[in-house]
Amino acid sequence: MFFVSTDTNLFSPIQLGPITLPNRIVMAPMTRLRAGDGGVPIPANATYYSQRASAGLIITECTMISRQSQGYMNCPGIYSPDQVEGWRLVTDTVHKQGGRIFLQLWHCGRISHPSLQEEGKLPVAPSAIPAEGQLHTPNGKESMVAPHALEIHEIQGVIEDFRKAAENALAAGFDGVELHGAFGYLIDQFLQDGSNHRTDEYGGSVENRARFLLEVVEAVASVWGGNRVGIKLSPSNTYYSMVDSNPKATFGYTIDALNRFGLAYIHLMEPEAKDLATRDVLCPVAPTFRPIYQGTLIANGGFTKESGNAILAEGNADLVSFGKPFLANPDLPKRFELDVPLNSPNPKTFYGQGSHQPEVGYTDYPFLGDRAA
């Protein structure tokens, strides 16, 4: 059983690998769809992240590791020289404000569409099983299709894409990287048996289904060292048709296997209201896996200042990440510390507003003392 003193709270410093964080308030990765042409970060992205540099740690929005990895329009990438330079502006600006920032590495897998792929190719996945739902594409909303099931040699190519992206993130000046192993994207698709029906060494048993995730971790850690690599997991996510016949066993095995890498952290998502309404899912998540994982654990999912302090005091997490509260409150740690009201997020402006108004609902939320926007 893990136990943290009740003196430990959101404002306590913590050592994350070689990095000292001044507090345990993490800015969660949030897709905002405001990159420029070719997935290149723009100056507004640098402003947005630097405004939130008082977080103990910033984790960026999910970022494409390759052209093949794309599943949404206006997402940033980390596979071209121009993208690396765009992110360098972000990291330089955050560091000038005294912040620390990890890049989230991402491959959508089957959560894509041929109209988003180079030369209209099929998206890829462990198995040719389509996810339910529609995506915004250049042609409007389109239903997802049955993906191409990756062959063994192609799997090794994707792992190499993750490694190259990790190298590019290092060149762009990040302090570390987080692997997006959650929310029904490619790493998660390999892990869960609802989306992985393979019969080779990457399918079937939990050991085989976890193989892709663990090989990606190994490849990225070969660039950064394990103590600057994190991974986000969502054992109870039901979005994009995700399901596993035994999530406690699947994620328990995987989390235990991650112990050997000496990671910076694992980042666990609690179920959302939609997950709980869809079916009987594992809840709560962090307390279930805290006894298995020997390293640092970040909890995510609807936390407030009060519930964040509570999970830290219980020892079921070491840090807490906040999404929408950080989206709407660039000075969230200060507001928590002073116990003052928070700005309310505007869902209508969560996602990209186009190249003419990138600041709307993005960099225009007021700080304490500012006039209301």
Side-chain angles (χ1 to χ4, degrees):
M1 179 178 178
F2 286 77
F3 178 78
V4 177
S5 166
T6 53
D7 292 336
T8 299
N9 58 43
L10 291 169
F11 309 106
S12 303
I14 185 172
Q15 196 70 23
L16 196 71
I19 306 168
T20 301
L21 310 187
N23 61 61
R24 298 170 188 242
I25 303 168
V26 176
M27 178 178 168
M30 290 174 282
T31 303
R32 303 303 309 274
L33 305 181
R34 280 174 166 84
D37 293 341
V40 177
I42 59 176
N45 303 141
T47 300
Y48 170 70
Y49 285 113
S50 65
Q51 286 178 335
R52 290 154 178 81
S54 62
L57 177 67
I58 293 170
I59 307 171
T60 72
E61 63 211 275
C62 43
T63 301
M64 300 179 290
I65 63 163
S66 65
R67 180 66 180 79
Q68 181 199 69
S69 69
Q70 183 172 7
Y72 301 88
M73 297 186 293
N74 305 120
C75 271
I78 191 65
Y79 55 87
S80 77
D82 287 345
Q83 292 164 352
V84 172
E85 286 305 305
W87 278 119
R88 169 59 78 173
L89 175 62
V90 174
T91 61
D92 284 349
T93 309
V94 169
H95 289 150
K96 285 177 183 177
Q97 295 297 319
R100 299 137 299 276
I101 183 167
F102 275 37
L103 181 72
Q104 191 186 62
L105 302 176
W106 178 56
H107 193 306
C108 280
R110 69 180 185 175
I111 311 305
S112 186
H113 189 274
S115 60
L116 295 167
Q117 293 289 316
E118 204 166 25
E119 300 177 351
K121 294 179 181 178
L122 285 174
V124 301
S127 300
I129 304 169
E132 296 176 4
Q134 294 183 315
L135 295 172
H136 290 281
T137 78
N139 304 318
K141 276 195 169 184
E142 297 189 80
S143 296
M144 286 179 275
V145 301
H148 165 68
L150 286 161
E151 298 180 15
I152 293 289
H153 74 278
E154 293 173 318
I155 291 173
Q156 298 308 310
V158 174
I159 293 169
E160 177 63 12
D161 287 340
F162 272 103
R163 191 193 63 78
K164 289 178 180 176
E167 288 183 341
N168 288 340
L170 189 61
F174 285 94
D175 298 300
V177 294
E178 176 180 283
L179 290 167
H180 197 338
F183 227 64
Y185 297 118
L186 185 63
I187 291 175
D188 201 22
Q189 291 162 28
F190 268 93
L191 185 59
Q192 300 202 50
D193 60 18
S195 51
N196 184 346
H197 292 185
R198 301 178 72 95
T199 57
D200 59 15
E201 59 262 46
Y202 288 94
S205 68
V206 63
E207 293 84 1
N208 283 352
R209 286 183 281 116
R211 188 183 307 276
F212 178 73
L213 179 156
L214 297 173
E215 289 183 351
V216 170
V217 171
E218 185 173 25
V220 171
S222 74
V223 175
W224 280 93
N227 62 1
R228 287 185 182 262
V229 177
I231 185 166
K232 192 172 189 182
L233 302 171
S234 56
S236 297
N237 171 57
T238 61
Y239 285 71
Y240 295 132
S241 318
M242 292 307 295
V243 64
D244 188 83
S245 61
N246 191 343
K248 189 172 183 179
T250 294
F251 286 88
Y253 170 84
T254 303
I255 289 169
D256 184 47
L258 288 169
N259 279 314
R260 73 174 186 261
F261 292 101
L263 297 180
Y265 61 82
I266 61 169
H267 193 174
L268 295 181
M269 294 180 69
E270 297 293 338
E272 300 180 5
K274 181 182 180 296
D275 301 316
L276 295 168
T278 300
R279 63 171 184 268
D280 186 20
V281 296
L282 193 64
C283 182
V285 170
T288 299
F289 298 109
R290 170 76 278 188
I292 297 173
Y293 191 61
Q294 298 166 9
T296 299
L297 191 155
I298 302 176
N300 169 262
F303 284 95
T304 63
K305 173 186 172 181
E306 292 73 23
S307 60
N309 277 327
I311 196 169
L312 294 179
E314 293 160 359
N316 286 317
D318 302 294
L319 302 99
V320 180
S321 68
F322 298 86
K324 293 174 186 175
F326 241 128
L327 180 155
N329 297 273
D331 52 357
L332 184 66
K334 185 175 181 180
R335 289 175 185 262
F336 277 172
E337 186 175 8
L338 298 178
D339 201 22
V340 297
L342 303 183
N343 300 324
S344 297
N346 179 2
K348 293 181 180 179
T349 59
F350 280 177
Y351 303 110
Q353 296 298 295
S355 59
H356 300 297
Q357 291 184 308
E359 75 283 351
V360 176
Y362 191 57
T363 60
D364 58 357
Y365 282 103
F367 289 75
L368 278 173
D370 290 348
R371 292 190 178 189

